[in-house]
Amino acid sequence: MSTTTYDSGPLLDALAAAAEDRIVFDLPGIEERYDALCRELPDVAVRFAMKACPVDEVLARLARRGCGVDAASPKEVEQALAAGVPISRMHYGNTVKSDRNIADAFRLGIRDFATDSLEDVRAVAEHAPGSRVFCRLATTGEGALWGLSNKYGCSPDDALTILETARDLGLTPAGLSVHVGSQQMTADAWHGAVDRIADVLAALARRGISLDHVNLGGGLPALGYRDKHGRPLDPPLDKIFAVIREGMAHLAGIPGHRLRFVIEPGRHLTADHGAIRAHVSRLAARRGPDGERQYWLYLSCGKFNGLYEMDQLQYRLVFPSHRDAESVPAVIAGPTCDSDDAYSHEDGLVPVPRELASGDPVWVLSCGAYATSYMTQGFNGFSPLPYTWIDGEAA
Ligand SMILES: *Cc1c(COP(=O)(O)O)cnc(C)c1O
């Protein structure tokens, strides 16, 4: 068991006070993470990638601090508007959109659209006439837990064609964007992205296209995960920020553009400030097909109700009723009949108290990102978790 400084006392207190399963969001913790990001990257517009935590209270608190939103569908735009995010601080960051998605977003007031293909940019020109577009460049995704490298983004050459076409169709070619991959663990990834953007900016300037912004995308890491083997991931956050600052200075010096900068963190803002109070379904020892006896700890929540990313990483667990107890190595798994509903059992067993009984509380830390958005309606009848939050403000 390890708890580090980003697990706030109030969050742990709220977990201790919960008698039933739930996910708890620490709103002051999320605000502090946002403030820290603004200190690290002053003058950069932060637009929260809301799919990481589409919770009204989270959106409202971030909005109040000046944060914008990266939305991926008209429904997300509507939710963010209702939570108090001004439309002027939102863009449509999804390059995948139907004609109807574009028209609906335009009607809601969106004037900034991501794009990465001629087909899409033509559709934006038709259904959101006169809008601004920014072109997403493909990245390798190397160094990230989730590379996101195939589905999105175009080559530097295609970006030139797409932005020229945008201009010819009456759109404003406004920017370039990247996404270096989710939970990016290396500062080098941003180096590579900056170099790529720099080349395209220079080529655009030669063709008389002047951009007004660069969107550095998502990928900023959460701090509290463990890898598949149970080792702390420990991302080099300070170095990442230093590389981003250097990169922005370099890009701002490229002639022909007057650039602002935008960044779209998702998990970085919320992951470490959400935690689940779950309970033990059963600690059992079974012999598998190989004849080996193996402990399995089945929890009340898993991949389909809060721990969607459990096949790629390990969330930290706390067993509050068995601190400092004798432990056994176990595979951690959720309650459903899906075999993916488990930590990767080839890679890493987790020490768990030997005496755990059905019903004992378990806290799952750093699961405030991609938890609620990935919950199913109730796979196998295991309900999505209800959520609560720590307000942190005197009534
Ligand atoms: C999901 C997404 C993000 C956020 O990614 P994180 O890795 O959570 O920071 C940012 N921008 C876009 C376009 C996305 O799709």
Side-chain angles (χ1 to χ4, degrees):
M1 180 185 71
S2 90
T3 53
T4 39
T5 50
Y6 39 79
D7 301 309
S8 78
L11 186 56
L12 300 179
D13 291 347
L15 296 172
E20 299 289 335
D21 287 6
R22 67 196 47 197
I23 181 163
V24 183
F25 294 102
D26 175 8
L27 301 183
I30 292 170
E31 290 177 321
E32 276 163 33
R33 185 63 65 88
Y34 171 78
D35 291 349
L37 177 59
C38 295
R39 283 194 301 275
E40 293 288 347
L41 303 177
D43 302 322
V44 175
V46 180
R47 299 209 166 152
F48 177 48
M50 64 180 280
K51 73 174 185 289
C53 189
V55 169
D56 292 337
E57 291 76 9
V58 169
L59 296 173
R61 292 286 275 263
L62 285 173
R64 212 174 63 184
R65 283 189 120 63
C67 188
V69 151
D70 162 47
S73 67
K75 273 262 192 295
E76 282 197 344
V77 174
E78 282 175 2
Q79 186 187 353
L81 282 172
V85 183
I87 197 82
S88 59
R89 294 207 301 254
M90 269 187 241
H91 59 247
Y92 200 110
N94 194 350
T95 58
V96 181
K97 41 200 171 317
S98 68
D99 291 352
R100 181 146 161 205
N101 293 155
I102 297 167
D104 287 348
F106 188 67
R107 200 171 313 116
L108 289 165
I110 291 285
R111 295 294 178 268
D112 277 85
F113 291 86
T115 191
D116 63 0
S117 71
L118 283 174
E119 290 80 358
D120 179 74
V121 86
R122 288 192 193 109
V124 173
E126 185 176 347
H127 299 284
S131 288
R132 298 156 45 81
V133 289
F134 56 97
C135 188
R136 178 155 167 184
L137 297 172
T139 59
T140 65
E142 245 169 77
L145 259 65
W146 295 272
L148 315 175
S149 54
N150 290 318
K151 186 169 173 188
Y152 298 108
C154 63
S155 69
D157 281 348
D158 285 353
L160 302 178
T161 312
I162 287 167
L163 289 173
E164 280 183 329
T165 304
R167 180 182 58 186
D168 296 345
L169 294 173
L171 299 168
T172 302
L176 290 172
S177 74
V178 286
H179 192 308
V180 293
S182 203
Q183 186 70 19
Q184 175 55 253
M185 295 298 298
T186 70
D188 258 1
W190 274 276
H191 249 137
V194 164
D195 288 348
R196 193 161 268 242
I197 293 168
D199 289 346
V200 179
L201 286 174
L204 285 167
R206 288 193 293 273
R207 295 177 186 215
I209 290 184
S210 172
L211 301 185
D212 60 29
H213 77 285
V214 164
N215 179 333
L216 296 163
L220 286 177
L223 304 179
Y225 297 149
R226 293 199 178 140
D227 69 12
K228 284 200 238 186
H229 309 276
R231 293 182 293 246
L233 271 172
D234 228 359
L237 192 60
D238 290 340
K239 199 168 157 206
I240 288 170
F241 284 136
V243 167
I244 291 176
R245 282 189 297 262
E246 265 171 45
M248 290 191 301
H250 172 57
L251 295 177
I254 295 173
H257 309 276
R258 284 174 64 100
L259 299 177
R260 294 176 296 109
F261 291 90
V262 175
I263 197 160
E264 304 168 332
R267 72 173 70 245
H268 181 71
L269 291 182
T270 62
D272 296 319
H273 305 290
I276 290 173
R277 189 280 185 195
H279 65 269
V280 171
S281 177
R282 188 73 60 199
L283 175 62
R286 295 187 296 109
R287 276 189 210 284
D290 57 0
E292 292 283 321
R293 212 169 98 96
Q294 176 67 65
Y295 280 100
W296 285 74
L297 176 61
Y298 305 108
L299 301 178
S300 57
C301 72
K303 190 172 183 64
F304 304 101
N305 56 353
L307 309 180
Y308 184 76
E309 299 182 321
M310 72 193 301
D311 55 337
Q312 285 299 319
L313 53 81
Q314 291 189 0
Y315 304 94
R316 286 167 301 140
L317 305 175
V318 179
F319 303 96
S321 54
H322 293 77
R323 291 179 193 273
D324 307 318
E326 194 196 337
S327 65
V328 291
V331 182
I332 308 296
T336 69
C337 300
D338 188 311
S339 59
D340 286 344
D341 187 11
Y343 282 10
S344 155
H345 57 280
E346 279 109 39
D347 295 319
L349 302 175
V350 177
V352 306
R354 182 194 284 280
E355 303 301 328
L356 283 175
S358 187
D360 284 345
V362 182
W363 303 344
V364 190
L365 305 181
S366 290
C367 52
Y370 302 110
T372 56
S373 43
Y374 276 126
M375 277 189 215
T376 63
Q377 290 288 341
F379 186 64
N380 270 161
F382 293 100
S383 304
L385 289 172
Y387 75 89
T388 56
W389 60 91
I390 298 162
D391 193 60
E393 296 181 340

